[in-house]
């Protein structure tokens, strides 16, 4: 039971660390869309109460332009973020010495082991297998 809870917390932490920016920006986008819809519905309620429907048509245009701007900003943010993370990632570390290259230090105790073509364990010696 306790391991199940620890696993859940570890999993949620891993997901949060990996996708924190996407989760937060998506939440902000949904909050923005909800806010624009609420403001638009309040405006429509206000025009019904005033019995002046002259700006209703234009309010729909503004609403959809605001939706498009919010969604455009969301995608712009994520495309900009992906470009920046690709540029700032350090290149993969390249090993300067290969595995088969002999070491320069003659006092290295593992130099003889590196020079071997085949490594065998103590069990291989006891079995007598090559």
């Amino acid at each position: 039971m306790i391991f199940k809870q620890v696993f859940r917390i570890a999993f949620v932490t891993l997901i949060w660390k990996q996708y924190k920016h996407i989760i937060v920006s998506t939440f902000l986008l949904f909050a923005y869309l909800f806010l624009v819809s609420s403001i638009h519905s309040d405006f429509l309620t206000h025009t019904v109460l005033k019995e002046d429907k002259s700006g209703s048509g234009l309010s729909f245009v503004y609403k959809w332009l605001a939706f498009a701007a919010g969604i455009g900003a969301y995608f712009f943010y994520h495309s900009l973020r992906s470009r920046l993370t690709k540029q700032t990632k350090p290149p993969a570390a390249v090993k300067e010495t290969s595995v088969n290259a002999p070491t320069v230090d003659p006092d290295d105790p593992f130099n003889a082991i590196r020079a071997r073509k085949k490594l065998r364990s103590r069990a291989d010696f006891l079995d007598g297998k090559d």
Side-chain angles (χ1 to χ4, degrees):
M1 182 81 165
I2 195 165
F3 290 115
K4 189 176 183 181
Q5 294 298 327
V6 170
F7 178 73
R8 282 183 184 170
I9 291 171
F11 181 71
V12 168
T13 304
L14 177 73
I15 295 297
W16 176 253
K17 282 185 176 184
Q18 186 75 21
Y19 299 109
K20 175 175 49 176
H21 297 286
I22 295 172
I23 293 168
V24 170
S25 64
T26 303
F27 175 75
L28 288 175
L29 175 67
F30 286 148
Y32 173 77
L33 294 177
F34 177 74
L35 182 67
V36 169
S37 292
S38 296
I39 291 171
H40 184 255
S41 87
D42 285 347
F43 178 76
L44 290 178
T45 304
H46 176 71
T47 58
V48 167
L49 291 176
K50 274 182 67 174
E51 296 177 358
D52 180 26
K53 297 182 181 180
S54 61
S56 296
L58 195 56
S59 72
F60 282 101
V61 172
Y62 290 145
K63 172 187 163 185
W64 287 105
L65 284 176
F67 278 178
I71 293 171
Y74 176 80
F75 284 116
F76 177 74
Y77 169 75
H78 284 286
S79 67
L80 182 70
R81 181 164 166 70
S82 68
R83 272 190 263 141
L84 288 177
T85 55
K86 285 179 185 175
Q87 290 175 357
T88 58
K89 277 189 180 177
V94 178
K95 279 191 165 182
E96 294 183 15
T97 60
S98 68
V99 175
N100 296 330
T103 59
V104 179
D105 187 16
D107 296 330
D108 186 14
F110 298 104
N111 197 18
I113 295 173
R114 285 190 199 98
R116 290 183 183 173
K117 290 183 180 181
K118 186 175 183 182
L119 296 177
R120 299 186 326 171
S121 68
R122 187 176 291 172
D124 291 333
F125 283 113
L126 292 176
D127 283 346
K129 295 180 181 176
D130 264 341

